[in-house]
Amino acid sequence: MTSLISFTILGIFTGAAYSIAASGLVLTYATTRVFNIAHGAMGMVMAFVFWDFSYRQGLPTLLSLFLVLFVVAPAMGWFVQRTMMRGLGEAPVSVSLVVSVGLFVGLIGLAQQIWPPEARFVLPFFPETSLRLGGVQITAHQLITIALSIVVAGLLYLLLNTTRIGTSMRAAVDNPQLLELYGGKPERVAALSWAIGASLAALAGILLTPVIGLDYFELTLLVINAYAAAMLGRLKSLPLTFAGAMSLGVLQAYAVAYLPSGGDLAGLRAVVPALFLVVIIIAMPQAQLRIGQVKGIVSVPVPSLQRSLAVAAGAFLIAGVVTAMMGPSKLLLAGTAATYAIVMLSLVLLTGYGGHLSLSQFTFAGVGAVAYIRIDSPSLLGLLAAAVVAALVGALVALPVLRLTGLYLALSTLAFGVVMDKLVFQATFAFGTVGALEAKRLSLLGFTISNDAAYVMVMIIFFLGLGVALLALRRGRIGRILIAMRDSPAACGTLGLDLRWFRVALFGLSAGIAGLAGALFAGLRGTVAAAEFNVLASLPLLLLAVVCGVTSISGAALGGVLLMLMPVVSASNPGLAGLVFAVVGFGAVALGRNPNGLASLAFLVGRFGWDQWGHLLPRRGQAPDQEVSGQAAPDQAAQLAQESQEEREVVGR
């Protein structure tokens, strides 16, 4: 009984911290319709700032707490909303998620750069004060956390439901134009909600730091557990959010107490919040289609089949010449870049064409690697089988949330990545007892490709072949359905298109491509470990895909090279490791609204010029895009000409 009470109190304390973090998340979403993936990272950075003020600078604890909660954190929230999140409430969900994921990675890199890794500690509030209840010791820090969670929930409820500011906050997301007509300031209200949300994230991070320590990733991921509580309240109900946070905290404490700590189920305790999130998402009602969201983008031109094959042949010849001059270490890096590029091709299909987001795409590569090794058939048939296994897993991830789209679908992939990382990949049936497996090189026609240069060229052939296939898919009917689904699901529903099973097939095909990349990567390395497919590895992958151009094959190639160079630059310049991640993260924040990325610059340079006032205009005599081929029928040509004219007007503006 004493043990039960002890773990119950621990769970209530953890749930109270989750409640504070989740309340800030609900506030920002309910008032701006932007789900802040970086909420936990903001709390982590503020916890480091609190440590800096109170321990490095020597300021009194209460003064440091006041400065962080009422000066630094609100200023940070205001700055983020005004410079990064402004206007994202009306943007597609995939765009707002990419920008917030960029902020997530950028803040982690910034924290690593400002506060390099070292042993740090933060004492709990009033460490020598405690209370005994039923033979259980309750610390003052735990009591303060529980009390603060109740106070925060009550004050936020009163703010949103009984004050003029709260009414303005709710009106700002429902109809900002109408609020402005009545004299309100929608942008000022949004900035205020983000300032309060940042303060609550900071408070949660500071309260959790004495328990888990100052760690960039653990502190961030622990606050991410509050997502599940926020989802229980459907991102708008503060009482349900509070109840969900408390339930999750107690459930997690009981899992630590009573679930096995060894064997294949040892990781089950760590994935309780992820499973909690999955259950809540599955129980969500049917997602409503949002009208007024026909917001197409100026996509890069889709080349014809002849041009695609010609470019692929030229790229193959150039790659052959370059790889012939590389040593073994350089070839390993080139193969790693090819792996990343193939995984990014899966994001081109899923995100660039389909408009859906996956926050654990590299996890599917891990599934493909494990399947390839366990099947123990290093041939094209084994490679295909590994891709099929990964595709089936991807379809299973999308199947339970068949009725949902956007945010919930992306969060389900994040929960899936956590479950695979903490539970499945740690089991003996996946990566064995030592957490690593040996893989055999691929064999073609009975001949093992033992030469590194030849194997890298095989990987490049797979990349080019998949790229040509994706372009062919984009030119056809399926490609047009994908673009329509990305630009306006409401319009597709109006036309009678049922895209639910189409979405499952899209996720499955995308996961299959990523699984193929993982299988090729296993053959390249010879030995692969579970740590190489960590769920957080998918975030820089997604960001660089967007920065380089998630709508084009060339963007995937460029992104694969840059992602390969990130650890190389960090290893050669350890003092700049955090800066590298910060540049990638904040670069995604800057370019996340334009999924064409850096690859579109060549398109703009070739087709557009600058006038004397610095405006971007189409070059004189520029022909319309011929997306399908040069032999378009007259009605198709007229449609293409109209689309091209609309694109020019958008870019000109």
Side-chain angles (χ1 to χ4, degrees), residues 126-416:
F126 306 106
E128 298 179 356
T129 304
S130 62
L131 174 68
R132 294 192 66 83
L133 179 63
V136 177
Q137 196 83 6
I138 306 175
T139 65
H141 187 85
Q142 292 174 331
L143 290 174
I144 291 173
T145 303
I146 296 170
L148 285 175
S149 68
I150 298 174
V151 171
V152 166
L155 290 179
L156 283 181
Y157 183 82
L158 293 175
L159 173 68
L160 291 176
N161 294 280
T162 63
T163 66
R164 182 180 179 85
I165 295 177
T167 303
S168 299
M169 286 180 174
R170 289 183 283 112
V173 67
D174 292 335
N175 197 327
Q177 292 80 14
L178 185 60
L179 174 63
E180 196 167 5
L181 287 176
Y182 276 88
K185 304 291 184 181
E187 291 297 333
R188 186 178 299 175
V189 169
L192 176 61
S193 67
W194 274 79
I196 298 174
S199 294
L200 294 177
L203 179 59
I206 292 171
L207 292 173
L208 286 171
T209 298
V211 180
I212 63 173
L214 275 172
D215 184 88
Y216 312 108
F217 302 103
E218 290 298 328
L219 190 58
T220 301
L221 291 177
L222 197 60
V223 177
I224 284 179
N225 293 342
Y227 294 173
M231 283 295 151
L232 183 63
R234 298 184 185 178
L235 294 172
K236 56 184 178 181
S237 173
L238 288 172
L240 283 178
T241 299
F242 182 81
M246 289 300 179
S247 302
L248 176 59
V250 172
L251 186 63
Q252 194 172 10
Y254 288 165
V256 172
Y258 301 112
L259 289 181
S261 58
D264 289 344
L265 296 179
L268 189 58
R269 298 182 298 177
V271 300
V272 167
L275 296 176
F276 189 84
L277 177 60
V278 169
V279 171
I280 292 174
I281 290 178
I282 292 176
M284 283 283 180
Q286 172 72 41
Q288 296 181 352
L289 294 175
R290 293 173 60 185
I291 63 174
Q293 292 294 310
V294 185
K295 296 182 179 180
I297 60 174
V298 184
S299 300
V300 295
V302 181
S304 63
L305 178 61
Q306 294 83 356
R307 186 173 181 181
S308 300
L309 293 174
V311 172
F316 175 77
L317 293 176
I318 295 174
V321 173
V322 173
T323 54
M325 299 184 294
M326 288 182 174
S329 59
K330 300 293 185 182
L331 287 171
L332 183 61
L333 293 176
T336 303
T339 301
Y340 294 151
I342 295 175
V343 179
M344 288 185 184
L345 282 182
S346 69
L347 289 176
V348 170
L349 174 65
L350 181 66
T351 305
Y353 295 166
H356 295 293
L357 211 60
S358 172
L359 300 179
S360 60
Q361 200 67 6
F362 212 60
T363 303
F364 295 114
V367 173
V370 172
Y372 174 77
I373 296 172
R374 292 301 186 184
I375 292 173
D376 197 19
S377 177
S379 61
L380 287 178
L381 185 61
L383 204 64
L384 178 62
V388 169
V389 170
L392 292 176
V393 173
L396 288 175
V397 172
L399 194 59
V401 290
L402 191 63
R403 303 165 292 105
L404 305 175
T405 57
L407 171 62
Y408 305 108
L409 201 56
L411 289 180
S412 69
T413 63
L414 179 62
F416 162 77

Side-chain angles (χ1 to χ4, degrees), residues 113 565-567 569-570 576-585:
Q113 188 65 31
L565 290 175
M566 281 182 61
V569 174
S570 300
L576 300 178
L579 184 61
V580 171
F581 279 90
V583 169
V584 172

Side-chain angles (χ1 to χ4, degrees), residues 457-541:
M457 289 305 301
V458 169
M459 298 180 73
I460 293 174
I461 290 174
F462 273 102
F463 171 79
L464 295 174
L466 288 171
V468 172
L470 286 180
L471 288 174
L473 184 102
R474 171 65 182 86
R475 287 190 297 268
R477 180 176 179 271
I478 295 179
R480 291 191 292 272
I481 293 177
L482 285 173
I483 298 302
M485 180 173 66
R486 180 195 69 187
D487 290 346
S488 180
C492 293
T494 303
L495 295 174
L497 296 176
D498 187 358
L499 300 178
R500 293 176 297 176
W501 292 104
F502 192 84
R503 191 182 306 126
V504 172
L506 177 65
F507 259 86
L509 183 57
S510 173
I513 295 174
L516 176 67
L520 290 171
F521 180 72
L524 172 72
R525 296 290 299 271
T527 301
V528 289
E532 295 177 287
F533 304 102
N534 185 283
V535 62
L536 292 180
S538 299
L539 301 184
L541 178 86

Side-chain angles (χ1 to χ4, degrees), residues 619-640:
R619 295 186 185 277
R620 188 172 298 176
Q622 179 68 51
D625 286 343
Q626 298 292 330
E627 291 194 345
V628 179
S629 68
Q631 307 295 327
D635 55 342
Q636 292 174 323
Q639 180 183 0
L640 293 171

